Structures are given as C-alpha cells and as structure tokens.
Amino acid sequence: MMTEFDPARRKLLQTTAVAASSAVLATGTVAEAEAAAPARSSAPGQVATVNVTLRVNGAEHQMVIDPRTTLLDVLRERLQLTGSKKGCDQGQCGACTVLVDGRRFTSCLTLAVMQEGHEITTIEGLGTPMHLHPLQAAFVKHDGYQCGFCTPGQICSAVAMLDEIRAGTPSHVTADLTRAPPMTPVEFRERMSGNICRCGAYMNIQAAIAEVAGVKP
C-alpha cells in the first residue's frame, strides 16, 4: 500500500540531512585546527620570549627570558646569585626571600617580568665579607644558623621586618593599633614566622635580630 506523499515530511528530512552534514564538516575543521596547533607551537623559533631589564643589587641586567620564569630562577640560573635558595618552591619556607623596593618577597612566587623597574636586593647586595650588614654580623656573632640553607632568606626577611616595625606597620599580635608597634620578641617571632629554619636555630636568630633592634631577646 503506497503512503500519501507529504511535502512537509520531505522538507524535514532534507533540513535534517543538511544540518548533519554541516556538523560533520565543522567537526572536521576543528579537529584539523587542533591537530595543527601543537605543530605550530612546538616549531623552532615559536617559543615566546620577552626582553627584560632587571636592577639587582644596584646593577642593571638586560636579558631575554621566557615570561613564565620566576625571579628566583633568573637570580640563580641567569645571574648566578645563588644565595637565595629554592626550598619548597611554593612560597612556604621563606628560603628564597629577597627585597623588592625594600619589601620582602618570596622570589619563587614572583615572575621576573613583574619586577622590571623595581630595585631588587639579594643577600649578596646587603653586605660583603669585609663589610657585613649589621644583621649578617649579628647572625655570625649569635650563631644564627647551622646548615646555612635558610640563612639568606632569614636575613633578608629580618631586614625588611625591622623596617616594617619602624614604619608603624602592625602585625597580628600588635595589641594597640593606635600606637607604633613595639620592638619585642613577640613581634619578631610573629613577623618572622614565614621563614622556616629546619635546624631549629630560632633562639639564636631571635637573639641576632634583637641585638640589631637594640632590645633584649
């Protein structure tokens, strides 16, 4: 038995077929583009780089780097300033602490390109073997280190920490926010809590900081 011809049904079938064909073509185009993309990005000469000028310890250094490079890796691998240590590489131990415009930064979490135009100071820029920074001398006097791995970060952090107190910046343990924070061991411990000493030389570190601050440990 022959069914009655329905032009509306025929139109529906035609529309469905066209839509299905378009979807297949579109899928093929996307797949081709995705397949070609890795080849383009991995081709020689396609790695993105940037020109950057960093001012470190009073000297300017111009270099071409991958924009994803951390400040810590530039300091250690490109400038051979190996005082700043790569400890946890997650900003939790403080071993990579440096000063940027006088403020302490965990250099493993800071991109080098972000620090162009800023003054970067590492442990090498604080003093020399013949002319130690007061905190460096105090660390030696009070044996504020054992293995020495965390010491550069500890000293850089302590330098900025004392400046923070002098500038009146409160901490979590500052009791009176209407007055300048006091130079006390309690303040020192709280503010230095981001710098870990795996050898446990905290008492000696505190003694060194207290001497430079002019207070009793």
Side-chain angles (χ1 to χ4, degrees):
M1 180 178 178
M2 295 184 61
T3 59
E4 183 178 354
F5 175 70
D6 184 354
R9 181 172 181 274
R10 181 178 182 183
K11 183 66 174 179
L12 174 63
L13 293 175
Q14 290 176 340
T15 303
T16 303
V18 171
S21 300
S22 300
V24 171
L25 290 174
T27 301
T29 302
V30 172
E32 291 174 0
E34 291 177 346
R40 288 197 299 270
S41 62
S42 61
Q46 294 298 313
V47 177
T49 57
V50 294
N51 289 301
V52 63
T53 300
L54 298 179
R55 185 170 177 81
V56 182
N57 298 331
E60 290 192 349
H61 303 271
Q62 186 174 5
M63 64 194 78
V64 178
I65 62 173
D66 185 318
R68 300 166 296 179
T69 307
T70 65
L71 177 59
L72 176 60
D73 284 338
V74 166
L75 293 174
R76 290 182 57 83
E77 306 299 332
R78 299 294 297 272
L79 301 182
Q80 304 305 309
L81 296 171
T82 56
S84 304
K85 298 300 189 290
K86 181 176 287 192
C88 64
D89 211 22
Q90 297 178 353
Q92 297 179 356
C93 72
C96 69
T97 303
V98 299
L99 305 180
V100 179
D101 294 336
R103 298 176 59 193
R104 44 185 171 168
F105 273 70
T106 46
S107 58
C108 73
L109 296 183
T110 305
L111 294 178
V113 294
M114 297 172 62
Q115 304 311 326
E116 188 167 22
H118 298 279
E119 184 70 38
I120 302 164
T121 305
T122 69
I123 189 66
E124 292 89 348
L126 285 180
T128 66
M130 299 304 296
H131 299 89
L132 295 176
H133 184 280
L135 267 168
Q136 291 174 317
F139 265 67
V140 173
K141 176 181 176 180
H142 292 277
D143 195 21
Y145 55 87
Q146 290 185 32
C147 75
F149 187 85
C150 73
T151 305
Q154 296 274 3
I155 293 176
C156 285
S157 186
V159 169
M161 180 270 294
L162 291 177
D163 287 342
E164 290 168 8
I165 297 179
R166 295 187 187 104
T169 304
S171 75
H172 180 69
V173 298
T174 303
D176 188 351
L177 299 182
T178 65
R179 298 181 180 181
M183 290 277 189
T184 62
V186 174
E187 286 282 352
F188 299 156
R189 286 195 293 270
E190 168 64 23
R191 294 169 187 266
M192 292 293 294
S193 60
N195 289 80
I196 297 174
C197 175
R198 292 177 174 85
C199 299
Y202 294 111
M203 293 300 294
N204 298 349
I205 291 171
Q206 289 294 311
I209 294 173
E211 177 176 301
V212 174
V215 299
K216 292 183 179 180

